[in-house]
Amino acid sequence: MIIAIDPGIKGGIAMKMNNGIVHAWKMPNTVGGMNEWFSFNLSLATAQELEDFKMKNPGEGLPPQPVCYLEKVHSMPKQRPTAIWTFAENYGALKALLLAYGISRVDVEPKTWQKAIGATREAVPKGATPSVKERIKREAKKRIKEIVEAKYPQIKVTLETADALGILMYAEETKK
Protein backbone atom coordinates (compact mmCIF):
# COMPACT_ATOMS: atom_id res chain seq x y z
CA MET A 1 0.00 0.00 0.00
CA ILE A 2 1.20 3.48 -0.88
CA ILE A 3 -0.17 6.58 0.82
CA ALA A 4 0.56 10.04 -0.57
CA ILE A 5 -0.15 13.19 1.40
CA ASP A 6 -0.33 16.86 0.49
CA PRO A 7 -0.43 18.16 4.07
CA GLY A 8 -1.96 21.60 3.49
CA ILE A 9 -5.39 22.48 4.82
CA LYS A 10 -6.50 22.52 1.17
CA GLY A 11 -4.50 19.34 0.57
CA GLY A 12 -5.46 15.73 0.32
CA ILE A 13 -4.60 12.10 0.88
CA ALA A 14 -4.32 9.48 -1.84
CA MET A 15 -3.89 5.75 -1.30
CA LYS A 16 -3.09 2.93 -3.70
CA MET A 17 -3.82 -0.55 -2.47
CA ASN A 18 -1.62 -3.48 -3.46
CA ASN A 19 -4.49 -4.68 -5.67
CA GLY A 20 -4.19 -1.45 -7.72
CA ILE A 21 -7.30 0.33 -6.44
CA VAL A 22 -6.72 4.05 -5.87
CA HIS A 23 -8.68 6.29 -3.50
CA ALA A 24 -8.40 10.02 -2.73
CA TRP A 25 -9.76 12.20 0.08
CA LYS A 26 -9.68 15.85 1.06
CA MET A 27 -7.31 16.46 3.99
CA PRO A 28 -9.12 16.37 7.34
CA ASN A 29 -8.95 19.84 8.90
CA THR A 30 -8.18 18.83 12.49
CA VAL A 31 -5.68 16.55 14.18
CA GLY A 32 -8.59 14.50 15.53
CA GLY A 33 -9.96 14.22 12.00
CA MET A 34 -6.57 13.05 10.74
CA ASN A 35 -6.42 10.39 13.45
CA GLU A 36 -9.95 9.23 12.58
CA TRP A 37 -8.96 9.02 8.90
CA PHE A 38 -5.93 6.87 9.72
CA SER A 39 -7.82 4.69 12.17
CA PHE A 40 -10.81 4.03 9.91
CA ASN A 41 -9.20 3.89 6.46
CA LEU A 42 -6.08 2.01 7.46
CA SER A 43 -8.01 -0.64 9.35
CA LEU A 44 -10.27 -1.22 6.33
CA ALA A 45 -7.40 -1.08 3.85
CA THR A 46 -5.15 -3.32 5.93
CA ALA A 47 -7.90 -5.92 6.31
CA GLN A 48 -8.50 -5.86 2.54
CA GLU A 49 -4.76 -6.00 1.81
CA LEU A 50 -4.33 -8.97 4.15
CA GLU A 51 -7.26 -10.81 2.58
CA ASP A 52 -5.99 -10.18 -0.97
CA PHE A 53 -2.44 -11.14 -0.03
CA LYS A 54 -3.51 -14.40 1.65
CA MET A 55 -5.58 -15.39 -1.39
CA LYS A 56 -2.72 -14.71 -3.82
CA ASN A 57 0.11 -15.97 -1.58
CA PRO A 58 -1.18 -18.75 0.68
CA GLY A 59 1.08 -19.45 3.64
CA GLU A 60 3.47 -16.56 2.97
CA GLY A 61 2.93 -14.39 6.05
CA LEU A 62 2.03 -10.73 5.86
CA PRO A 63 1.79 -8.28 2.94
CA PRO A 64 4.38 -5.52 2.58
CA GLN A 65 4.06 -2.69 5.09
CA PRO A 66 2.49 0.55 3.86
CA VAL A 67 4.71 3.47 2.96
CA CYS A 68 3.73 7.14 2.92
CA TYR A 69 5.13 9.77 0.58
CA LEU A 70 4.68 13.04 2.45
CA GLU A 71 5.16 16.35 0.72
CA LYS A 72 8.02 18.13 2.46
CA VAL A 73 6.91 21.62 3.30
CA HIS A 74 8.61 24.78 4.48
CA SER A 75 7.40 27.86 6.28
CA MET A 76 5.92 30.63 4.19
CA PRO A 77 7.06 33.93 5.69
CA LYS A 78 4.19 35.98 4.22
CA GLN A 79 1.52 33.88 5.97
CA ARG A 80 -0.11 35.11 9.15
CA PRO A 81 1.54 33.72 12.30
CA THR A 82 -1.61 31.87 13.35
CA ALA A 83 -1.83 30.20 9.90
CA ILE A 84 1.82 29.18 10.09
CA TRP A 85 1.35 27.83 13.60
CA THR A 86 -1.73 25.78 12.65
CA PHE A 87 -0.04 24.42 9.53
CA ALA A 88 3.11 23.43 11.44
CA GLU A 89 1.03 21.79 14.15
CA ASN A 90 -0.93 19.75 11.58
CA TYR A 91 2.24 18.79 9.71
CA GLY A 92 3.85 17.59 12.95
CA ALA A 93 0.68 15.68 13.84
CA LEU A 94 0.77 13.90 10.46
CA LYS A 95 4.37 12.84 11.06
CA ALA A 96 3.45 11.59 14.55
CA LEU A 97 0.41 9.68 13.24
CA LEU A 98 2.51 7.96 10.58
CA LEU A 99 4.96 6.91 13.26
CA ALA A 100 2.20 5.78 15.62
CA TYR A 101 0.55 3.67 12.91
CA GLY A 102 3.88 2.10 11.94
CA ILE A 103 3.94 3.58 8.44
CA SER A 104 7.34 4.34 6.99
CA ARG A 105 7.70 7.83 5.55
CA VAL A 106 9.45 9.24 2.50
CA ASP A 107 9.65 13.03 2.37
CA VAL A 108 9.42 14.47 -1.12
CA GLU A 109 9.96 18.07 -2.22
CA PRO A 110 7.18 19.62 -4.30
CA LYS A 111 9.56 20.44 -7.16
CA THR A 112 10.77 16.83 -7.22
CA TRP A 113 7.40 15.16 -7.62
CA GLN A 114 6.05 17.89 -9.92
CA LYS A 115 9.01 17.54 -12.27
CA ALA A 116 8.70 13.73 -12.24
CA ILE A 117 5.06 13.84 -13.39
CA GLY A 118 5.70 16.56 -15.98
CA ALA A 119 4.03 19.41 -14.12
CA THR A 120 6.81 21.96 -13.89
CA ARG A 121 5.47 25.44 -13.37
CA GLU A 122 6.27 28.66 -15.16
CA ALA A 123 8.96 30.68 -13.39
CA VAL A 124 7.68 33.70 -11.51
CA PRO A 125 9.32 36.80 -12.96
CA LYS A 126 11.22 39.07 -10.59
CA GLY A 127 9.01 41.84 -9.31
CA ALA A 128 5.84 40.05 -10.39
CA THR A 129 2.63 41.44 -9.00
CA PRO A 130 0.55 39.32 -6.62
CA SER A 131 -2.02 38.79 -9.38
CA VAL A 132 0.65 37.42 -11.75
CA LYS A 133 1.97 35.13 -9.02
CA GLU A 134 -1.57 33.92 -8.31
CA ARG A 135 -2.22 33.29 -12.04
CA ILE A 136 0.98 31.20 -12.33
CA LYS A 137 0.03 29.22 -9.22
CA ARG A 138 -3.53 28.63 -10.51
CA GLU A 139 -2.27 27.47 -13.91
CA ALA A 140 0.22 25.08 -12.28
CA LYS A 141 -2.51 23.59 -10.06
CA LYS A 142 -4.78 23.19 -13.09
CA ARG A 143 -1.98 21.42 -15.00
CA ILE A 144 -1.40 18.99 -12.12
CA LYS A 145 -5.14 18.26 -12.01
CA GLU A 146 -5.18 17.53 -15.77
CA ILE A 147 -2.18 15.19 -15.50
CA VAL A 148 -3.63 13.16 -12.62
CA GLU A 149 -7.09 13.02 -14.24
CA ALA A 150 -5.45 11.40 -17.28
CA LYS A 151 -3.59 8.89 -15.06
CA TYR A 152 -6.55 8.09 -12.78
CA PRO A 153 -9.72 8.51 -14.90
CA GLN A 154 -11.70 6.38 -12.41
CA ILE A 155 -11.13 8.94 -9.62
CA LYS A 156 -13.00 12.22 -9.21
CA VAL A 157 -10.01 14.56 -8.98
CA THR A 158 -10.51 17.86 -7.15
CA LEU A 159 -8.10 20.72 -6.56
CA GLU A 160 -7.77 19.40 -3.00
CA THR A 161 -6.80 15.86 -4.04
CA ALA A 162 -4.81 16.67 -7.20
CA ASP A 163 -1.44 17.16 -5.48
CA ALA A 164 -1.83 14.03 -3.34
CA LEU A 165 -2.56 12.03 -6.51
CA GLY A 166 0.45 13.67 -8.18
CA ILE A 167 2.62 12.59 -5.26
CA LEU A 168 1.13 9.09 -5.63
CA MET A 169 2.12 9.08 -9.32
CA TYR A 170 5.66 10.01 -8.29
CA ALA A 171 5.67 7.28 -5.61
CA GLU A 172 4.55 4.65 -8.11
CA GLU A 173 7.36 5.59 -10.49
CA THR A 174 9.92 5.72 -7.68
CA LYS A 175 8.95 2.26 -6.37
CA LYS A 176 9.44 0.69 -9.83
Side-chain angles (χ1 to χ4, degrees):
M1 174 189 328
I2 303 171
I3 301 168
I5 300 178
D6 168 14
I9 195 73
K10 293 182 181 177
I13 303 172
M15 181 168 57
K16 182 176 183 182
M17 310 272 283
N18 290 335
N19 63 10
I21 296 174
V22 175
H23 302 279
W25 299 266
K26 180 186 178 306
M27 175 61 69
N29 58 3
T30 65
V31 174
M34 289 177 212
N35 185 47
E36 285 176 23
W37 183 92
F38 277 96
S39 177
F40 180 76
N41 289 295
L42 288 181
S43 63
L44 287 179
T46 303
Q48 184 64 51
E49 295 275 287
L50 186 57
E51 177 101 10
D52 290 348
F53 186 80
K54 283 180 180 179
M55 287 181 70
K56 291 177 185 169
N57 309 288
E60 285 203 29
L62 297 173
Q65 286 297 101
V67 62
C68 178
Y69 285 72
L70 178 65
E71 186 174 59
K72 188 173 185 177
V73 294
H74 307 282
S75 66
M76 301 200 186
K78 293 184 181 181
Q79 283 185 324
R80 294 181 336 271
T82 53
I84 292 169
W85 185 258
T86 301
F87 181 73
E89 193 173 70
N90 288 346
Y91 186 62
L94 276 170
K95 290 169 130 181
L97 286 166
L98 291 169
L99 185 64
Y101 282 95
I103 301 168
S104 61
R105 186 181 91 227
V106 176
D107 294 328
V108 59
E109 297 275 348
K111 287 182 181 180
T112 302
W113 71 260
Q114 289 168 4
K115 182 178 179 183
I117 69 165
T120 53
R121 73 166 56 180
E122 173 187 340
V124 177
K126 281 193 179 203
T129 64
S131 64
V132 168
K133 291 178 183 178
E134 187 58 35
R135 177 191 55 80
I136 291 170
K137 185 178 176 183
R138 235 184 2 262
E139 289 172 0
K141 192 78 165 166
K142 183 180 172 194
R143 176 75 180 128
I144 291 166
K145 186 175 183 277
E146 290 168 354
I147 290 168
V148 298
E149 284 174 329
K151 170 76 175 178
Y152 305 112
Q154 74 281 16
I155 300 283
K156 178 169 177 19
V157 179
T158 66
L159 290 176
E160 282 117 349
T161 61
D163 283 10
L165 288 162
I167 295 165
L168 183 63
M169 284 177 66
Y170 167 80
E172 290 178 287
E173 289 302 313
T174 302
K175 286 191 72 107
K176 287 181 184 174

